[in-house]
Amino acid sequence: MSLRAAQSTREILKHLTTGPGAAKLSPKVSKIALTFALKGKNESASARHFLQENLPRIQYNNPNIQFEVTKVLDTSIKPTVAVHFANGRSKVISIPRVQSNVIVDQIFAASP
């Protein structure tokens, strides 16, 4: 069931606390930035799905982390997730045509 289909508060909380992304990230992570094309190629479809289904879980379970979503009109932009760490370093993950649960795994596996 998707977050949009949830009817009650209980269903919303169950959706946010279970499934891919419903865990604490490393305390070294300070920010997650998602960038993708708003329309155009299918390369950004997985990023849009990640935004709707998985990012809310990560946000709910990691309230101390800053999240930034950038939607661009330029269809030549490849979708990326940048994981920023407290020490100032960052890791950019290219996510064209990658399933959203794999994106979650890559975020949780990122290290400085």
Side-chain angles (χ1 to χ4, degrees):
M1 171 178 45
S2 72
L3 187 58
R4 291 182 181 194
Q7 298 289 323
S8 68
T9 304
R10 182 176 300 149
E11 289 175 351
I12 292 170
L13 282 175
K14 183 179 178 186
H15 180 79
L16 291 173
T17 56
T18 60
K24 291 279 186 190
L25 284 164
S26 166
K28 297 176 184 176
V29 176
S30 62
K31 178 180 173 182
I32 295 177
L34 172 66
T35 303
F36 64 95
L38 191 58
K39 294 184 179 181
K41 298 180 181 179
N42 287 336
E43 291 181 341
S44 292
S46 60
R48 288 190 293 270
H49 188 268
F50 170 78
L51 175 65
Q52 293 175 356
E53 294 297 321
N54 302 105
L55 191 61
R57 286 188 192 112
I58 296 172
Q59 286 177 311
Y60 180 80
N61 291 288
N62 297 281
N64 297 337
I65 296 176
Q66 180 182 358
F67 294 89
E68 178 182 297
V69 177
T70 306
K71 301 174 187 178
V72 294
L73 295 176
D74 183 4
T75 58
S76 67
I77 296 292
K78 302 282 186 201
T80 60
V81 172
V83 181
H84 300 274
F85 300 97
N87 64 2
R89 301 182 79 192
S90 64
K91 180 176 182 182
V92 178
I93 304 166
S94 181
I95 56 168
R97 299 179 187 194
V98 176
Q99 291 183 348
S100 61
N101 59 343
V102 175
I103 297 170
V104 171
D105 293 341
Q106 291 177 339
I107 290 172
F108 278 86
S111 61

